[in-house]
Amino acid sequence: MSNLPERRRGTSLLAALAGILAAGVVLGTAELAGAFFRASATPIVAMGSTFIDFTPPWMKDFAIATFGTNDKLALLVGMGVTITLLAAVLGIVAFRRWVLGVAGVLLMGAIILACVLTRAGSSLPDAVPTVVGTAAGLLALRWLTARLRRAAAPAATPAVSPPDAARGGRLDASAGERTTVAITEPRGHATSSAAGSAAVRGSTSRRGFFAAAGVTAVVAAAAAGGGRLLAGARTNIAAVRDSLQFPAPASPAPALPAGVQSPVAGVTPFVTPNGDFYRIDTALSVPQLTTEDWVLRVHGMVEEEFELSFQDLLDADLIERHITLTCVSNPVGGYLAGNAKWLGYPLREVLARAKPLDGADMVLSTSSDGFSASTPLPVLQDDRDAILAIAMNGEPLPVEHGFPVRMVVPGLFGYVSATKWVVDLEVTRFADRTAYWTDRGWSEKGPIKTMARVEVPESFASVDAGQVMIGGVAWSQQRGIGKVEVSVDGGDWEDVTLAAEASVDTWRQWSHELTLGSGLHSVRARATDRVDGLQTEERAETVPDGASGWQTVQFTVK
Ligand SMILES: Nc1nc2c(c(=O)[nH]1)N[C@H]1C(S)=C(S)[C@@H](COP(=O)(O)O)O[C@H]1N2
Ligand SMILES: [Mo]
């Protein structure tokens, strides 16, 4: 009977399985109950969002650099692994000592509740999904561990009730020691035959455990799936988006001049299609706001506080502009930039109606999910096209890009200006209020840095010998790109051919033709803007106010 310790190990594995399945029940039933509450009332979203909020700047940029826009998927996978391991341990603990198991599950429930109730705009009823889930998970855990105990108990031991779990476990172990001695004693025959019948009984009750485990898994999966379907059906944003009709803008976008696109094959399209537009935000679950739900509150240091509805925006004089958006987390040569045609209402008009009081120097914009950005007040009052955008490239804003309303401000990085799902504008002072990323180590002010990017050839590409085409984009919103130069293999700087300029708020493409012999080559690029001059050579990391430096690309000519 030397297989007894082995069997005990097997039992622990099954206890771990019971814990994992019970965690599945917690999450699945909470998902189902959560369909009737806001997304951040479900454990996964609440815990994941809380984790995101505690992410230090270096980890945020590490995640973006490593996983790109799959950073949220990576977080979910990491959470899944962590939850599975914790649940496995809790399963084993609960099997050995039920009371400790209960304490562990309740502690987890309390942690989830803390995450849920500290999300922006949450209220006490949002606790319901977690409470329901924790209760259902405890029931499942109790049922599974009771089944397992029956399967694991030796013949002499009657089915143990949960509070006796620890004793049950120890009995098992001492039975193992006894059988080792039994080999030399006549009594051993009795013991091993008793163990033999226990094994028979154990295998039927093991089957019982597996049946219970199967049922639990199905219940958890059905609850989770049902919850997702229900939540989707309850907030059918796709239908709201599809039914939207926009008025013709009072001020349409100036027609794009011919030749805005670089002739070099492989350079990004001048206008980024919505589906390819980079996405950066802290929203683990994308806010689902309908146009009916949406209200913008304008308040703070103003003479007049008021609210704007979506219809108010549709009724107003809208403008349409091409504006290039860039992210502070973009490394030199990176792709966290996009150019779109935005339709929206000038923020200048909103502020003119509100009439800011003397001393105000900032507008704190807040999204429905608690993200915030601090934008210098003058930037939103001057004649640049800072807007409350409602359409992107002729379509309602995609949900991930801020549906139904977001801010777009030429010349500033997104983190200090481009609030998606914006619902609140507070006129205030930098001295009084701080914003989401400024609380996490990023600079208070975030003007865009002039940047040239080489797109063709790509780093480490291998290109055909002869005429080599190089090309890319450069941006300096509000200042405009006046010149782009390249240095080949460390040689003198040469001007490249600039594509046509749409406006100072859009990126500008460029191209250059070279004759290169086979071997390894490098191209370095730098831009000059029309206000501040040459792009700085000084290398800076993304934190705290954006990367800088001249990009170099190495490639091989065959
Ligand atoms: N609500 C909300 N708005 C947000 C953010 C966010 O995390 N939440 N991120 C900002 C940042 S850092 C950038 S760069 C832009 C990106 O906009 P996009 O995802 O449409 O490209 O949105 C900004 N607006
Ligand atoms: Mo960003």
Side-chain angles (χ1 to χ4, degrees), residues 262-265 267 453-458 463 467-472 485-488 494 496-497 510-514 516 522-525 553 555:
S262 165
V264 177
V267 169
R453 178 170 82 191
V454 182
E455 298 180 344
V456 180
E458 282 178 48
V463 302
Q467 298 298 93
V468 176
M469 295 299 288
I470 59 177
E485 300 159 283
V486 294
S487 156
V488 181
E494 326 166 36
V496 303
T497 308
W510 57 269
S511 57
H512 195 57
E513 198 178 324
L514 293 168
L516 292 173
S522 75
V523 165
R524 198 157 204 221
V553 167
F555 58 96

Side-chain angles (χ1 to χ4, degrees), residues 363-439:
V363 174
L364 186 71
S365 53
T366 307
S367 68
S368 64
D369 65 339
F371 168 87
S372 58
S374 52
T375 313
L377 178 61
V379 164
L380 302 180
Q381 293 176 304
D382 66 21
D383 59 3
R384 82 183 72 195
D385 300 316
I387 53 172
L388 287 171
I390 58 176
M392 181 176 183
N393 292 330
E395 278 176 37
L397 290 180
V399 181
E400 320 80 67
H401 293 290
F403 186 84
V405 183
R406 74 170 305 164
M407 286 172 50
V408 174
V409 181
L412 301 189
F413 283 127
Y415 83 105
V416 288
S417 68
T419 306
K420 306 191 269 189
W421 316 288
V422 62
V423 292
D424 191 288
L425 295 182
E426 180 185 350
V427 177
T428 178
R429 303 189 311 166
F430 277 106
D432 296 339
R433 302 298 303 275
T434 51
Y436 190 93
W437 286 117
T438 34
D439 287 339

Side-chain angles (χ1 to χ4, degrees), residues 60 64 278 280-281 326-330 336 413-416 437:
K60 177 211 177 198
I64 291 175
Y278 81 97
I280 292 290
D281 56 58
T326 37
C327 180
V328 70
S329 295
N330 193 47
L336 298 178
F413 283 127
Y415 83 105
V416 288
W437 286 117

Side-chain angles (χ1 to χ4, degrees), residues 192-206:
S192 48
S193 71
S197 70
V200 173
R201 239 192 43 158
S203 76
T204 41
S205 10
R206 230 169 228 234

Side-chain angles (χ1 to χ4, degrees), residues 254-555:
L256 291 178
V260 289
Q261 181 70 42
S262 165
V264 177
V267 169
T268 45
F270 179 77
V271 174
T272 316
N274 290 356
D276 297 340
F277 207 94
Y278 81 97
R279 175 190 166 197
I280 292 290
D281 56 58
T282 61
L284 190 54
S285 145
V286 178
Q288 308 278 319
L289 284 172
T290 65
T291 46
E292 289 282 300
D293 294 339
W294 185 83
V295 192
L296 180 74
R297 198 174 151 227
V298 183
H299 64 113
M301 296 175 65
V302 293
E303 270 177 46
E304 195 198 334
E305 300 197 337
F306 58 93
E307 287 185 346
L308 284 179
S309 69
F310 196 78
Q311 190 60 46
D312 290 335
L313 295 185
L314 292 181
D315 294 342
D317 283 348
L318 303 180
I319 67 171
E320 195 166 41
R321 297 288 183 267
H322 285 93
I323 298 167
T324 298
L325 209 66
T326 37
C327 180
V328 70
S329 295
N330 193 47
V332 172
Y335 278 79
L336 298 178
N339 183 41
K341 184 172 73 178
W342 309 93
L343 172 72
Y345 183 56
L347 277 153
R348 183 186 333 113
E349 305 293 341
V350 176
L351 289 163
R353 177 170 164 197
K355 297 189 206 69
L357 301 177
D358 282 351
D361 63 3
M362 183 260 269
V363 174
L364 186 71
S365 53
T366 307
S367 68
S368 64
D369 65 339
F371 168 87
S372 58
S374 52
T375 313
L377 178 61
V379 164
L380 302 180
Q381 293 176 304
D382 66 21
D383 59 3
R384 82 183 72 195
D385 300 316
I387 53 172
L388 287 171
I390 58 176
M392 181 176 183
N393 292 330
E395 278 176 37
L397 290 180
V399 181
E400 320 80 67
H401 293 290
F403 186 84
V405 183
R406 74 170 305 164
M407 286 172 50
V408 174
V409 181
L412 301 189
F413 283 127
Y415 83 105
V416 288
S417 68
T419 306
K420 306 191 269 189
W421 316 288
V422 62
V423 292
D424 191 288
L425 295 182
E426 180 185 350
V427 177
T428 178
R429 303 189 311 166
F430 277 106
D432 296 339
R433 302 298 303 275
T434 51
Y436 190 93
W437 286 117
T438 34
D439 287 339
R440 288 164 176 79
W442 259 269
S443 164
E444 195 173 73
K445 305 254 166 85
I448 281 161
K449 297 185 179 178
T450 298
M451 185 69 71
R453 178 170 82 191
V454 182
E455 298 180 344
V456 180
E458 282 178 48
S459 243
F460 306 120
S462 177
V463 302
D464 290 333
Q467 298 298 93
V468 176
M469 295 299 288
I470 59 177
V473 300
W475 58 76
S476 183
Q477 294 90 312
Q478 282 288 294
R479 297 179 295 264
I481 291 293
K483 180 156 83 167
V484 173
E485 300 159 283
V486 294
S487 156
V488 181
D489 299 329
D492 290 343
W493 289 98
E494 326 166 36
D495 284 9
V496 303
T497 308
L498 286 177
E501 179 178 57
S503 85
V504 291
D505 291 334
T506 55
W507 57 22
R508 192 157 182 194
Q509 304 206 336
W510 57 269
S511 57
H512 195 57
E513 198 178 324
L514 293 168
T515 316
L516 292 173
S518 57
L520 191 65
H521 295 279
S522 75
V523 165
R524 198 157 204 221
R526 65 184 194 187
T528 297
D529 73 55
R530 288 201 295 260
V531 175
D532 295 338
L534 183 62
Q535 162 187 353
T536 179
E537 182 181 8
E538 200 179 312
R539 274 270 163 184
E541 293 306 310
T542 53
V543 184
D545 62 359
S548 67
W550 299 340
Q551 185 194 2
T552 305
V553 167
Q554 296 201 319
F555 58 96

